[in-house]
Amino acid sequence: MKNFIKYIGVLTILLLFTVIYSACKKNGGYYDVEDSAVAYNGSIYEYLKSKPGVYDSLIVAVDRMGLKKTLTDSNVTLFAVTNPSFQLALRNLNTLRKQSDKDPLFLSNIDGIQLDTMVSYYIIRGVKPSDSLKLQDGLNLTSVKVAYPMHAKSVRGSASGEVGAGPEVIQFSNTKKSKFVRNWSTSTTASNNIKTKNGIVHVISPDHIFGFDGFVTRLTFIPPPPNLMVTVGGTFSANRENGGGPTSGENSKKVIDGDDHTKFLCDLQGFLTMQFKLKTPEVSSVYTLTSANDENGRDPKAWTYEGSQDGVNWTELHRVSNFFFEERYQQKVFRCTNTTAYLYYRINITELRSGGTFQLAEWTINKSK
């Protein structure tokens, strides 16, 4: 009897050891989810059409923008956006429009230029399976139409409390033309590596809002009227200059050069005045400011917009306080009720978001409508 009990005990220990050993063989103690590539015998566009109820909104947008051919015979990677992502974007937009007593918008009638830009974010040049995105810093990507800079990185999520033990996902980012990751807008994929005849499809998670964080702002943005600095011309001046002098790469005139990828950078020293003398007096009830490329603490937070006939006596036209740019390279349009034709206009910056260093990509004074 004792020998039988001893035999049962030894057998139990062997079985327990076998179970533990088998569990630990699974990639160092956790289950490694295989990245199984799905193959579809057709083009990317045909794949979208084969999934009714999933990609209907994306197909509408693709067709309206004339991108069917691109998804049929070009070597591309599509980060496919599902119906819920479009629904979230449109719901946010139309909630805002309803508050302003405006009619709702749909994919069939929203601004085509803005829709084209946003759809293009998701169609990437070349075939990019997830294996090509496993570099430590990910991979810089370009969109098919305007070579807009996007970024993707393949990572593993967490599972059962273990970091990196979950399934592989791709972090897909709109870089907003910034080298700083904190300025990017990022979403993740729900599934990867659907192979088609002309490329790869990665499916974006359904909680993603189409257009990243720019859908509502793009479609509620009203472009400013003509820039008087360009159409009329005149002379720019500032009471302070960049530390490198008037010929440096970030001198004062960079703020009126029409390029939002350059900027004026200087010390505020209490206040900064930028002035423009027009060749002939004009009525301006609109002006714009565009945020620069990096540190948002340098953004202007408070200022006045003023007009003058002689450059000595000034009339305040508009006052702003506690203002914040939400993005880099973001143009903001400001309107006031001025009806007088002034020869001089100036903006007087009195406060920054933080610190004492000022920066701005662009300033314009614009004609009244």
Side-chain angles (χ1 to χ4, degrees):
M1 185 67 178
K2 288 181 179 180
N3 289 336
F4 177 74
I5 293 173
K6 187 183 292 183
Y7 171 77
I8 293 298
V10 171
L11 183 61
T12 301
I13 291 171
L14 286 173
L15 287 171
L16 181 61
F17 176 78
T18 301
V19 170
I20 294 171
Y21 177 74
S22 298
C24 289
K25 278 189 69 179
K26 292 179 181 177
N27 200 12
Y30 61 82
Y31 182 65
D32 186 5
V33 179
E34 292 186 6
D35 184 21
S36 56
V38 179
Y40 177 78
N41 188 27
S43 67
I44 291 177
Y45 185 82
E46 289 168 335
Y47 171 75
L48 299 179
K49 295 286 284 187
S50 74
K51 301 291 182 181
V54 180
Y55 302 113
D56 309 77
S57 296
L58 179 57
I59 291 169
V60 169
V62 165
D63 287 347
R64 186 179 166 200
M65 295 300 103
L67 290 166
K68 176 180 177 180
K69 183 175 176 61
T70 300
L71 295 183
T72 300
D73 59 13
S74 300
N75 290 326
V76 295
T77 297
L78 174 67
F79 285 84
V81 184
T82 57
N83 290 343
S85 294
F86 283 91
Q87 291 164 0
L88 283 170
L90 287 166
R91 186 182 304 127
N92 291 345
L93 174 65
N94 287 322
T95 297
L96 184 62
R97 289 180 63 83
K98 185 177 182 180
Q99 293 172 358
S100 303
D101 294 322
K102 295 180 180 178
D103 293 333
L105 291 175
F106 305 95
L107 288 177
S108 59
N109 63 353
I110 63 176
D111 186 339
I113 294 175
Q114 303 296 350
L115 180 61
D116 188 46
T117 298
M118 290 184 284
V119 172
S120 295
Y121 290 157
Y122 302 91
I123 308 175
I124 301 300
R125 295 178 181 178
V127 179
K128 309 293 181 183
S130 59
D131 281 349
S132 69
L133 310 174
K134 289 183 177 179
L135 300 173
Q136 182 176 355
D137 294 327
L139 191 66
N140 293 323
L141 308 174
T142 52
S143 68
V144 288
K145 273 200 160 183
V146 294
Y148 187 87
M150 302 292 288
H151 185 274
K153 181 178 180 180
S154 180
V155 299
R156 286 197 176 274
S158 300
S160 301
E162 177 129 17
V163 177
E168 183 180 57
V169 298
I170 298 171
Q171 295 174 340
F172 183 54
S173 302
N174 178 354
T175 67
K176 301 180 181 179
K177 300 180 181 179
S178 172
K179 64 181 179 180
F180 297 100
V181 176
R182 64 178 177 271
N183 295 331
W184 297 0
S185 178
T186 301
S187 289
T188 58
T189 56
S191 61
N192 307 328
N193 300 323
I194 301 167
K195 294 183 177 179
T196 71
K197 286 185 174 181
N198 67 306
I200 292 280
V201 176
H202 305 301
V203 183
I204 299 286
S205 298
D207 60 354
H208 168 70
I209 299 177
F210 172 72
F212 290 86
D213 55 3
F215 185 83
V216 171
T217 54
R218 279 183 169 275
L219 295 172
T220 54
F221 176 77
I222 301 174
N227 179 0
L228 291 171
M229 294 178 176
V230 174
T231 57
V232 175
T235 305
F236 171 84
S237 61
N239 72 324
R240 223 169 302 290
E241 187 52 82
N242 178 269
T247 60
S248 64
E250 295 177 336
N251 69 75
S252 60
K253 289 188 177 179
K254 297 296 182 181
V255 81
I256 62 164
D257 65 358
D259 183 357
D260 64 6
H261 279 62
T262 63
K263 68 182 179 185
F264 175 26
L265 177 75
C266 72
D267 292 331
L268 185 68
Q269 297 182 33
F271 72 97
L272 171 69
T273 300
M274 296 182 293
Q275 175 181 300
F276 198 86
K277 179 184 178 183
L278 295 169
K279 289 183 177 178
T280 57
E282 293 282 347
V283 179
S284 170
S285 61
V286 180
Y287 65 100
T288 75
L289 300 179
T290 303
S291 60
N293 63 325
D294 52 13
E295 301 293 338
N296 60 14
R298 299 170 177 171
D299 293 344
K301 182 180 178 180
W303 63 85
T304 57
Y305 182 56
E306 302 170 353
S308 173
Q309 302 293 5
D310 56 11
V312 177
N313 302 293
W314 294 89
T315 300
E316 182 178 303
L317 307 176
H318 193 225
R319 177 178 290 268
V320 176
S321 61
N322 203 34
F323 173 82
F324 295 95
F325 285 104
E326 297 91 2
E327 302 175 18
R328 302 299 84 201
Y329 307 104
Q330 182 181 28
Q331 184 187 72
K332 286 286 191 175
V333 182
F334 302 92
R335 302 175 190 277
C336 56
T337 58
N338 177 47
T339 58
T340 301
Y342 288 105
L343 184 62
Y344 294 83
Y345 288 91
R346 75 180 184 185
I347 185 166
N348 191 35
I349 311 293
T350 55
E351 186 179 358
L352 305 178
R353 190 162 178 172
S354 64
T357 303
F358 161 86
Q359 70 174 18
L360 193 67
E362 288 293 307
W363 168 49
T364 69
I365 58 175
N366 301 79
K367 189 177 181 66
S368 297
K369 285 190 174 180

